[in-house]
Amino acid sequence: ELLGRLFQTLTKWILGLTLPLATVTIVFAKPLMRIFGPDFEPGWIVLVIGTLGQLVNCGTGSVGYLLMMSGNQKRLIRVQAAMTGVTLLLNVVLIPKWGITGAALSSAITNAASNVWYLRELRRALRMSPYNRSYLRLLPGAVACIAVALVLRSTMGWVRPEWSLVVLSGVVSYAALLSVALAMGLNDDDRVIARAVLARFRK
């Protein structure tokens, strides 16, 4: 029961604290790619696809590690073996058609599908899920975070250099999410994690 509660709380905050970064990366994908030069700008879609794939990874938590550490490594290996075949198939189909975008899409699909499958195996093996009602408290903060990034992009596109607007958007997005989340209130498990994090920083 304790492991399950810890899994839920950590996954919720890993997802929550990743949302502002993912939002800013997606909203400002073109400016981020232009940092490396104008020739890199067309690759913005690759950045967006990769970010979405990693967001699914964060949203399912450490399911693969939990399977491995709980003696269910055979389930883990079975998923990995199957998804290796899926990756090869997707690469053969998508890369000739869409090039690097196809490669990114193949990787994101495989990553997302693997984590969802791990989650299913974890539920079967340990009767555990990372999700509970407390996730609903993150929803207003996530909406605020997305709104802040979109408003800053539409109203402050004149700011130069562009990377400074990206940094500003990241800071304000994190502030918006955390402010709303704290206003919504923390449950007992959230407070335990918060105290542990603060204790680490104080050291």
Side-chain angles (χ1 to χ4, degrees):
E1 181 182 358
L2 178 60
L3 179 61
R5 288 171 56 190
L6 186 62
F7 178 41
Q8 289 177 342
T9 304
L10 286 175
T11 302
K12 178 179 67 178
W13 284 107
I14 288 171
L15 175 61
L17 294 176
T18 303
L19 276 172
L21 178 61
T23 298
V24 170
T25 300
I26 292 171
V27 171
F28 293 93
K30 288 184 178 181
L32 280 170
M33 294 304 292
R34 279 198 295 267
I35 291 173
F36 304 98
D39 293 338
F40 287 85
E41 183 177 342
W44 69 271
I45 188 64
V46 175
L47 182 60
V48 170
I49 292 171
T51 301
L52 291 173
Q54 288 302 316
L55 200 54
V56 174
N57 186 17
C58 293
T60 55
S62 303
V63 282
Y65 288 110
L66 279 173
L67 284 172
M68 183 171 59
M69 293 188 297
S70 61
N72 290 283
Q73 62 273 7
K74 290 183 179 179
R75 293 175 182 264
L76 180 69
I77 293 171
R78 184 166 61 243
V79 174
Q80 291 176 337
M83 294 313 297
T84 298
V86 172
T87 301
L88 291 173
L89 178 61
L90 288 173
N91 285 339
V92 169
V93 172
L94 298 178
I95 292 177
K97 187 175 182 179
W98 291 323
I100 191 173
T101 303
L105 189 58
S106 170
S107 178
I109 291 172
T110 304
N111 186 25
S114 296
N115 280 285
V116 171
W117 194 348
Y118 290 151
L119 184 58
R120 184 181 178 187
E121 292 296 325
L122 187 69
R123 284 176 173 172
R124 287 180 174 178
L126 300 179
R127 300 291 187 267
M128 287 174 56
S129 170
Y131 310 117
N132 56 37
R133 291 182 180 179
S134 67
Y135 276 71
L136 295 175
R137 297 184 180 185
L138 282 179
L139 187 57
V143 172
C145 167
I146 294 169
V148 163
L150 290 173
V151 168
L152 288 176
R153 187 188 69 174
S154 62
T155 61
M156 299 187 68
W158 50 268
V159 173
R160 292 296 182 272
E162 285 185 308
W163 62 263
S164 62
L165 178 57
V166 176
V167 172
L168 174 64
S169 299
V171 172
V172 177
S173 295
Y174 270 105
L177 182 135
L178 292 173
S179 298
V180 174
L182 290 173
M184 295 290 292
L186 302 178
N187 61 29
D188 292 338
D189 292 332
D190 292 334
R191 293 189 185 95
V192 170
I193 298 298
R195 283 195 293 267
V197 171
L198 288 173
R200 295 291 296 178
F201 276 111
R202 287 169 182 167
K203 289 182 180 179

Short mmCIF file of all heavy atoms in Angstrom, two decimals, residues 18-75:
data_model
loop_
_atom_site.label_atom_id
_atom_site.label_comp_id
_atom_site.label_asym_id
_atom_site.label_seq_id
_atom_site.Cartn_x
_atom_site.Cartn_y
_atom_site.Cartn_z
N THR A 18 6.74 18.36 -15.25
CA THR A 18 7.19 18.26 -16.64
C THR A 18 6.29 19.07 -17.57
O THR A 18 6.74 19.53 -18.63
CB THR A 18 7.21 16.79 -17.10
OG1 THR A 18 8.05 16.04 -16.23
CG2 THR A 18 7.74 16.64 -18.52
N LEU A 19 5.04 19.27 -17.18
CA LEU A 19 4.08 19.96 -18.04
C LEU A 19 4.52 21.35 -18.49
O LEU A 19 4.43 21.67 -19.68
CB LEU A 19 2.72 20.04 -17.35
CG LEU A 19 1.82 18.81 -17.48
CD1 LEU A 19 0.59 18.95 -16.58
CD2 LEU A 19 1.39 18.61 -18.93
N PRO A 20 5.01 22.22 -17.59
CA PRO A 20 5.45 23.54 -18.05
C PRO A 20 6.59 23.46 -19.07
O PRO A 20 6.58 24.18 -20.07
CB PRO A 20 5.90 24.23 -16.76
CG PRO A 20 5.16 23.54 -15.68
CD PRO A 20 5.07 22.11 -16.11
N LEU A 21 7.56 22.58 -18.80
CA LEU A 21 8.67 22.43 -19.74
C LEU A 21 8.19 21.92 -21.09
O LEU A 21 8.59 22.44 -22.15
CB LEU A 21 9.71 21.47 -19.15
CG LEU A 21 10.92 21.18 -20.02
CD1 LEU A 21 11.71 22.45 -20.32
CD2 LEU A 21 11.82 20.14 -19.35
N ALA A 22 7.32 20.91 -21.07
CA ALA A 22 6.78 20.37 -22.31
C ALA A 22 5.95 21.40 -23.05
O ALA A 22 6.03 21.53 -24.28
CB ALA A 22 5.95 19.12 -22.02
N THR A 23 5.15 22.16 -22.30
CA THR A 23 4.31 23.20 -22.92
C THR A 23 5.16 24.25 -23.63
O THR A 23 4.91 24.60 -24.78
CB THR A 23 3.43 23.87 -21.86
OG1 THR A 23 2.56 22.90 -21.29
CG2 THR A 23 2.59 24.98 -22.47
N VAL A 24 6.16 24.75 -22.94
CA VAL A 24 7.04 25.77 -23.52
C VAL A 24 7.78 25.20 -24.73
O VAL A 24 7.95 25.88 -25.76
CB VAL A 24 8.02 26.30 -22.47
CG1 VAL A 24 9.09 27.19 -23.11
CG2 VAL A 24 7.27 27.09 -21.40
N THR A 25 8.23 23.97 -24.63
CA THR A 25 8.95 23.34 -25.76
C THR A 25 8.06 23.24 -26.99
O THR A 25 8.50 23.51 -28.11
CB THR A 25 9.44 21.94 -25.35
OG1 THR A 25 10.33 22.05 -24.23
CG2 THR A 25 10.18 21.27 -26.50
N ILE A 26 6.79 22.86 -26.79
CA ILE A 26 5.87 22.72 -27.92
C ILE A 26 5.45 24.08 -28.47
O ILE A 26 5.48 24.31 -29.68
CB ILE A 26 4.64 21.90 -27.49
CG1 ILE A 26 5.04 20.45 -27.21
CG2 ILE A 26 3.55 21.95 -28.55
CD1 ILE A 26 3.96 19.61 -26.56
N VAL A 27 5.08 24.99 -27.58
CA VAL A 27 4.60 26.31 -28.02
C VAL A 27 5.71 27.11 -28.71
O VAL A 27 5.47 27.82 -29.69
CB VAL A 27 4.04 27.10 -26.82
CG1 VAL A 27 3.75 28.55 -27.20
CG2 VAL A 27 2.76 26.43 -26.31
N PHE A 28 6.93 26.96 -28.21
CA PHE A 28 8.06 27.73 -28.77
C PHE A 28 9.01 26.82 -29.55
O PHE A 28 10.22 27.07 -29.58
CB PHE A 28 8.81 28.44 -27.66
CG PHE A 28 8.02 29.54 -27.00
CD1 PHE A 28 7.28 29.28 -25.85
CD2 PHE A 28 8.01 30.82 -27.52
CE1 PHE A 28 6.56 30.28 -25.23
CE2 PHE A 28 7.28 31.83 -26.91
CZ PHE A 28 6.54 31.56 -25.77
N ALA A 29 8.47 25.80 -30.19
CA ALA A 29 9.32 24.85 -30.91
C ALA A 29 10.13 25.51 -32.02
O ALA A 29 11.34 25.26 -32.16
CB ALA A 29 8.46 23.73 -31.51
N LYS A 30 9.51 26.39 -32.78
CA LYS A 30 10.23 27.06 -33.88
C LYS A 30 11.35 27.98 -33.36
O LYS A 30 12.48 27.90 -33.84
CB LYS A 30 9.26 27.82 -34.76
CG LYS A 30 8.39 26.91 -35.62
CD LYS A 30 7.51 27.71 -36.57
CE LYS A 30 6.68 26.80 -37.46
NZ LYS A 30 5.82 27.56 -38.40
N PRO A 31 11.05 28.87 -32.39
CA PRO A 31 12.14 29.70 -31.86
C PRO A 31 13.27 28.86 -31.24
O PRO A 31 14.45 29.23 -31.36
CB PRO A 31 11.44 30.55 -30.79
CG PRO A 31 10.03 30.62 -31.23
CD PRO A 31 9.74 29.30 -31.86
N LEU A 32 12.92 27.76 -30.60
CA LEU A 32 13.96 26.92 -30.00
C LEU A 32 14.86 26.34 -31.07
O LEU A 32 16.09 26.29 -30.91
CB LEU A 32 13.30 25.79 -29.19
CG LEU A 32 12.81 26.15 -27.79
CD1 LEU A 32 11.97 25.03 -27.20
CD2 LEU A 32 13.98 26.47 -26.87
N MET A 33 14.28 25.90 -32.17
CA MET A 33 15.10 25.33 -33.24
C MET A 33 15.92 26.41 -33.94
O MET A 33 17.04 26.15 -34.41
CB MET A 33 14.21 24.61 -34.26
CG MET A 33 13.51 23.37 -33.69
SD MET A 33 14.63 22.15 -32.98
CE MET A 33 15.47 21.56 -34.44
N ARG A 34 15.38 27.64 -34.01
CA ARG A 34 16.12 28.73 -34.66
C ARG A 34 17.36 29.13 -33.88
O ARG A 34 18.26 29.78 -34.43
CB ARG A 34 15.21 29.95 -34.84
CG ARG A 34 14.29 29.85 -36.05
CD ARG A 34 13.75 31.22 -36.45
NE ARG A 34 12.88 31.79 -35.43
CZ ARG A 34 11.56 31.64 -35.41
NH1 ARG A 34 10.95 30.90 -36.34
NH2 ARG A 34 10.83 32.22 -34.46
N ILE A 35 17.42 28.78 -32.60
CA ILE A 35 18.61 29.07 -31.80
C ILE A 35 19.85 28.45 -32.46
O ILE A 35 20.95 29.01 -32.42
CB ILE A 35 18.45 28.54 -30.36
CG1 ILE A 35 17.39 29.37 -29.61
CG2 ILE A 35 19.78 28.57 -29.60
CD1 ILE A 35 17.04 28.82 -28.25
N PHE A 36 19.67 27.29 -33.09
CA PHE A 36 20.79 26.58 -33.71
C PHE A 36 21.04 27.03 -35.15
O PHE A 36 21.95 26.53 -35.81
CB PHE A 36 20.51 25.07 -33.69
CG PHE A 36 20.26 24.54 -32.31
CD1 PHE A 36 18.98 24.33 -31.86
CD2 PHE A 36 21.32 24.26 -31.46
CE1 PHE A 36 18.73 23.85 -30.58
CE2 PHE A 36 21.09 23.78 -30.18
CZ PHE A 36 19.80 23.58 -29.74
N GLY A 37 20.22 27.97 -35.63
CA GLY A 37 20.37 28.48 -36.98
C GLY A 37 19.08 28.33 -37.78
O GLY A 37 18.28 27.45 -37.48
N PRO A 38 18.88 29.18 -38.78
CA PRO A 38 17.63 29.15 -39.55
C PRO A 38 17.39 27.82 -40.27
O PRO A 38 16.24 27.44 -40.52
CB PRO A 38 17.80 30.30 -40.55
CG PRO A 38 19.27 30.58 -40.60
CD PRO A 38 19.79 30.25 -39.25
N ASP A 39 18.46 27.12 -40.61
CA ASP A 39 18.29 25.84 -41.31
C ASP A 39 17.65 24.77 -40.45
O ASP A 39 17.15 23.76 -40.96
CB ASP A 39 19.65 25.33 -41.81
CG ASP A 39 20.25 26.21 -42.90
OD1 ASP A 39 19.46 26.94 -43.54
OD2 ASP A 39 21.47 26.17 -43.09
N PHE A 40 17.68 24.99 -39.12
CA PHE A 40 17.13 23.99 -38.21
C PHE A 40 15.63 24.19 -37.96
O PHE A 40 14.98 23.31 -37.40
CB PHE A 40 17.86 24.03 -36.86
CG PHE A 40 19.24 23.45 -36.91
CD1 PHE A 40 20.33 24.22 -37.32
CD2 PHE A 40 19.47 22.13 -36.56
CE1 PHE A 40 21.61 23.69 -37.36
CE2 PHE A 40 20.74 21.58 -36.59
CZ PHE A 40 21.82 22.37 -37.01
N GLU A 41 15.09 25.33 -38.35
CA GLU A 41 13.69 25.63 -38.03
C GLU A 41 12.70 24.58 -38.55
O GLU A 41 11.75 24.23 -37.84
CB GLU A 41 13.30 27.02 -38.57
CG GLU A 41 11.88 27.40 -38.19
CD GLU A 41 11.51 28.80 -38.66
OE1 GLU A 41 12.43 29.59 -38.98
OE2 GLU A 41 10.32 29.10 -38.71
N PRO A 42 12.88 24.05 -39.78
CA PRO A 42 11.93 23.04 -40.26
C PRO A 42 11.86 21.79 -39.37
O PRO A 42 10.90 21.02 -39.47
CB PRO A 42 12.46 22.68 -41.65
CG PRO A 42 13.22 23.89 -42.09
CD PRO A 42 13.85 24.41 -40.83
N GLY A 43 12.84 21.62 -38.50
CA GLY A 43 12.83 20.46 -37.61
C GLY A 43 11.97 20.63 -36.38
O GLY A 43 11.97 19.76 -35.50
N TRP A 44 11.19 21.72 -36.30
CA TRP A 44 10.37 21.97 -35.12
C TRP A 44 9.37 20.85 -34.86
O TRP A 44 9.09 20.50 -33.71
CB TRP A 44 9.64 23.31 -35.24
CG TRP A 44 8.57 23.33 -36.29
CD1 TRP A 44 8.72 23.65 -37.61
CD2 TRP A 44 7.19 23.00 -36.10
NE1 TRP A 44 7.53 23.54 -38.27
CE2 TRP A 44 6.57 23.15 -37.37
CE3 TRP A 44 6.43 22.59 -35.01
CZ2 TRP A 44 5.22 22.90 -37.56
CZ3 TRP A 44 5.08 22.34 -35.20
CH2 TRP A 44 4.48 22.50 -36.46
N ILE A 45 8.85 20.25 -35.93
CA ILE A 45 7.86 19.18 -35.77
C ILE A 45 8.47 17.97 -35.09
O ILE A 45 7.81 17.26 -34.32
CB ILE A 45 7.24 18.80 -37.14
CG1 ILE A 45 6.08 17.84 -36.95
CG2 ILE A 45 8.29 18.21 -38.06
CD1 ILE A 45 4.91 18.40 -36.19
N VAL A 46 9.76 17.72 -35.35
CA VAL A 46 10.46 16.61 -34.70
C VAL A 46 10.54 16.85 -33.19
O VAL A 46 10.33 15.93 -32.38
CB VAL A 46 11.87 16.44 -35.30
CG1 VAL A 46 12.66 15.37 -34.54
CG2 VAL A 46 11.78 16.10 -36.77
N LEU A 47 10.81 18.10 -32.83
CA LEU A 47 10.88 18.46 -31.41
C LEU A 47 9.52 18.27 -30.73
O LEU A 47 9.44 17.76 -29.61
CB LEU A 47 11.35 19.90 -31.27
CG LEU A 47 11.53 20.46 -29.86
CD1 LEU A 47 12.56 19.64 -29.09
CD2 LEU A 47 11.96 21.92 -29.91
N VAL A 48 8.46 18.67 -31.41
CA VAL A 48 7.11 18.52 -30.85
C VAL A 48 6.75 17.06 -30.67
O VAL A 48 6.24 16.65 -29.61
CB VAL A 48 6.08 19.22 -31.76
CG1 VAL A 48 4.66 18.87 -31.33
CG2 VAL A 48 6.28 20.73 -31.73
N ILE A 49 7.01 16.25 -31.68
CA ILE A 49 6.68 14.82 -31.61
C ILE A 49 7.46 14.14 -30.48
O ILE A 49 6.90 13.36 -29.69
CB ILE A 49 6.98 14.13 -32.96
CG1 ILE A 49 6.02 14.63 -34.04
CG2 ILE A 49 6.88 12.61 -32.83
CD1 ILE A 49 6.38 14.18 -35.44
N GLY A 50 8.76 14.44 -30.39
CA GLY A 50 9.57 13.85 -29.33
C GLY A 50 9.10 14.26 -27.94
O GLY A 50 9.09 13.45 -27.01
N THR A 51 8.70 15.52 -27.81
CA THR A 51 8.21 16.01 -26.52
C THR A 51 6.92 15.30 -26.11
O THR A 51 6.75 14.92 -24.94
CB THR A 51 7.97 17.53 -26.59
OG1 THR A 51 9.19 18.18 -26.94
CG2 THR A 51 7.47 18.06 -25.26
N LEU A 52 6.01 15.11 -27.05
CA LEU A 52 4.75 14.42 -26.74
C LEU A 52 5.01 12.97 -26.32
O LEU A 52 4.38 12.46 -25.38
CB LEU A 52 3.83 14.45 -27.97
CG LEU A 52 3.25 15.83 -28.32
CD1 LEU A 52 2.50 15.75 -29.65
CD2 LEU A 52 2.34 16.34 -27.22
N GLY A 53 5.97 12.31 -26.99
CA GLY A 53 6.31 10.95 -26.61
C GLY A 53 6.87 10.88 -25.19
O GLY A 53 6.51 9.98 -24.41
N GLN A 54 7.73 11.84 -24.83
CA GLN A 54 8.29 11.85 -23.48
C GLN A 54 7.25 12.24 -22.43
O GLN A 54 7.35 11.82 -21.27
CB GLN A 54 9.48 12.81 -23.42
CG GLN A 54 10.71 12.30 -24.15
CD GLN A 54 11.19 10.97 -23.61
OE1 GLN A 54 11.24 10.74 -22.40
NE2 GLN A 54 11.52 10.06 -24.51
N LEU A 55 6.27 13.01 -22.83
CA LEU A 55 5.21 13.38 -21.89
C LEU A 55 4.41 12.15 -21.47
O LEU A 55 4.02 12.01 -20.31
CB LEU A 55 4.29 14.42 -22.54
CG LEU A 55 3.43 15.29 -21.61
CD1 LEU A 55 4.27 15.98 -20.55
CD2 LEU A 55 2.65 16.30 -22.42
N VAL A 56 4.18 11.25 -22.42
CA VAL A 56 3.51 9.98 -22.09
C VAL A 56 4.39 9.18 -21.14
O VAL A 56 3.89 8.57 -20.17
CB VAL A 56 3.22 9.16 -23.37
CG1 VAL A 56 2.66 7.79 -23.01
CG2 VAL A 56 2.24 9.90 -24.27
N ASN A 57 5.68 9.19 -21.38
CA ASN A 57 6.63 8.49 -20.51
C ASN A 57 6.53 9.01 -19.08
O ASN A 57 6.47 8.23 -18.11
CB ASN A 57 8.05 8.69 -21.06
CG ASN A 57 9.09 7.88 -20.32
OD1 ASN A 57 8.78 6.93 -19.61
ND2 ASN A 57 10.34 8.25 -20.49
N CYS A 58 6.50 10.33 -18.92
CA CYS A 58 6.38 10.93 -17.58
C CYS A 58 5.01 10.61 -16.96
O CYS A 58 4.90 10.44 -15.75
CB CYS A 58 6.57 12.44 -17.67
SG CYS A 58 8.23 12.95 -18.15
N GLY A 59 3.98 10.57 -17.79
CA GLY A 59 2.63 10.36 -17.28
C GLY A 59 2.34 8.95 -16.81
O GLY A 59 1.35 8.73 -16.10
N THR A 60 3.18 7.99 -17.18
CA THR A 60 2.98 6.62 -16.71
C THR A 60 3.89 6.26 -15.53
O THR A 60 3.72 5.22 -14.90
CB THR A 60 3.22 5.61 -17.84
OG1 THR A 60 4.52 5.81 -18.41
CG2 THR A 60 2.17 5.75 -18.93
N GLY A 61 4.86 7.12 -15.26
CA GLY A 61 5.73 6.86 -14.11
C GLY A 61 6.78 5.80 -14.39
O GLY A 61 6.99 5.37 -15.52
N SER A 62 7.41 5.34 -13.33
CA SER A 62 8.52 4.37 -13.44
C SER A 62 8.01 2.94 -13.53
O SER A 62 8.42 2.06 -12.75
CB SER A 62 9.46 4.53 -12.24
OG SER A 62 9.94 5.85 -12.15
N VAL A 63 7.11 2.69 -14.47
CA VAL A 63 6.48 1.37 -14.56
C VAL A 63 7.48 0.28 -14.91
O VAL A 63 7.42 -0.84 -14.38
CB VAL A 63 5.31 1.38 -15.57
CG1 VAL A 63 4.08 2.02 -14.98
CG2 VAL A 63 5.71 2.13 -16.85
N GLY A 64 8.40 0.58 -15.82
CA GLY A 64 9.39 -0.42 -16.20
C GLY A 64 10.28 -0.82 -15.04
O GLY A 64 10.54 -2.01 -14.81
N TYR A 65 10.75 0.17 -14.27
CA TYR A 65 11.60 -0.12 -13.12
C TYR A 65 10.83 -0.90 -12.05
O TYR A 65 11.39 -1.79 -11.40
CB TYR A 65 12.14 1.18 -12.52
CG TYR A 65 13.20 1.83 -13.37
CD1 TYR A 65 12.94 3.01 -14.04
CD2 TYR A 65 14.46 1.25 -13.52
CE1 TYR A 65 13.90 3.62 -14.83
CE2 TYR A 65 15.43 1.85 -14.30
CZ TYR A 65 15.15 3.03 -14.96
OH TYR A 65 16.10 3.62 -15.73
N LEU A 66 9.57 -0.58 -11.85
CA LEU A 66 8.78 -1.31 -10.85
C LEU A 66 8.61 -2.77 -11.24
O LEU A 66 8.65 -3.66 -10.38
CB LEU A 66 7.41 -0.64 -10.68
CG LEU A 66 7.38 0.59 -9.77
CD1 LEU A 66 6.01 1.25 -9.83
CD2 LEU A 66 7.73 0.23 -8.34
N LEU A 67 8.39 -3.03 -12.52
CA LEU A 67 8.30 -4.42 -12.97
C LEU A 67 9.61 -5.15 -12.73
O LEU A 67 9.62 -6.28 -12.24
CB LEU A 67 7.94 -4.46 -14.46
CG LEU A 67 6.49 -4.16 -14.84
CD1 LEU A 67 6.35 -4.04 -16.36
CD2 LEU A 67 5.56 -5.24 -14.31
N MET A 68 10.71 -4.49 -13.05
CA MET A 68 12.02 -5.13 -12.91
C MET A 68 12.36 -5.39 -11.45
O MET A 68 12.84 -6.46 -11.08
CB MET A 68 13.09 -4.24 -13.56
CG MET A 68 14.49 -4.82 -13.54
SD MET A 68 15.63 -3.85 -14.55
CE MET A 68 15.50 -2.23 -13.78
N MET A 69 12.10 -4.42 -10.58
CA MET A 69 12.49 -4.54 -9.18
C MET A 69 11.56 -5.43 -8.37
O MET A 69 11.90 -5.83 -7.25
CB MET A 69 12.57 -3.15 -8.54
CG MET A 69 13.68 -2.29 -9.10
SD MET A 69 13.91 -0.73 -8.18
CE MET A 69 12.34 0.08 -8.46
N SER A 70 10.38 -5.72 -8.93
CA SER A 70 9.43 -6.56 -8.19
C SER A 70 9.47 -8.02 -8.64
O SER A 70 8.58 -8.80 -8.29
CB SER A 70 8.01 -6.01 -8.36
OG SER A 70 7.63 -6.01 -9.72
N GLY A 71 10.48 -8.39 -9.42
CA GLY A 71 10.60 -9.77 -9.87
C GLY A 71 9.77 -10.10 -11.09
O GLY A 71 9.60 -11.28 -11.41
N ASN A 72 9.28 -9.09 -11.78
CA ASN A 72 8.48 -9.30 -12.98
C ASN A 72 9.25 -8.91 -14.24
O ASN A 72 8.68 -8.38 -15.19
CB ASN A 72 7.19 -8.49 -12.88
CG ASN A 72 6.23 -9.05 -11.85
OD1 ASN A 72 5.56 -10.05 -12.07
ND2 ASN A 72 6.18 -8.40 -10.69
N GLN A 73 10.56 -9.19 -14.22
CA GLN A 73 11.38 -8.80 -15.36
C GLN A 73 11.00 -9.53 -16.64
O GLN A 73 11.24 -9.02 -17.74
CB GLN A 73 12.86 -9.03 -15.04
CG GLN A 73 13.26 -10.45 -14.76
CD GLN A 73 13.08 -10.85 -13.31
OE1 GLN A 73 12.53 -10.08 -12.51
NE2 GLN A 73 13.54 -12.03 -12.97
N LYS A 74 10.41 -10.72 -16.53
CA LYS A 74 10.00 -11.44 -17.74
C LYS A 74 8.91 -10.68 -18.49
O LYS A 74 8.89 -10.66 -19.72
CB LYS A 74 9.51 -12.84 -17.37
CG LYS A 74 10.61 -13.78 -16.91
CD LYS A 74 10.08 -15.18 -16.65
CE LYS A 74 11.19 -16.11 -16.21
NZ LYS A 74 10.70 -17.49 -15.93
N ARG A 75 8.02 -10.06 -17.74
CA ARG A 75 6.99 -9.24 -18.38
C ARG A 75 7.64 -8.05 -19.09
O ARG A 75 7.25 -7.68 -20.20
CB ARG A 75 5.99 -8.72 -17.33
CG ARG A 75 5.14 -9.81 -16.69
CD ARG A 75 4.28 -9.22 -15.58
NE ARG A 75 3.47 -10.22 -14.90
CZ ARG A 75 2.20 -10.49 -15.19
NH1 ARG A 75 1.59 -9.82 -16.16
NH2 ARG A 75 1.54 -11.41 -14.53
#
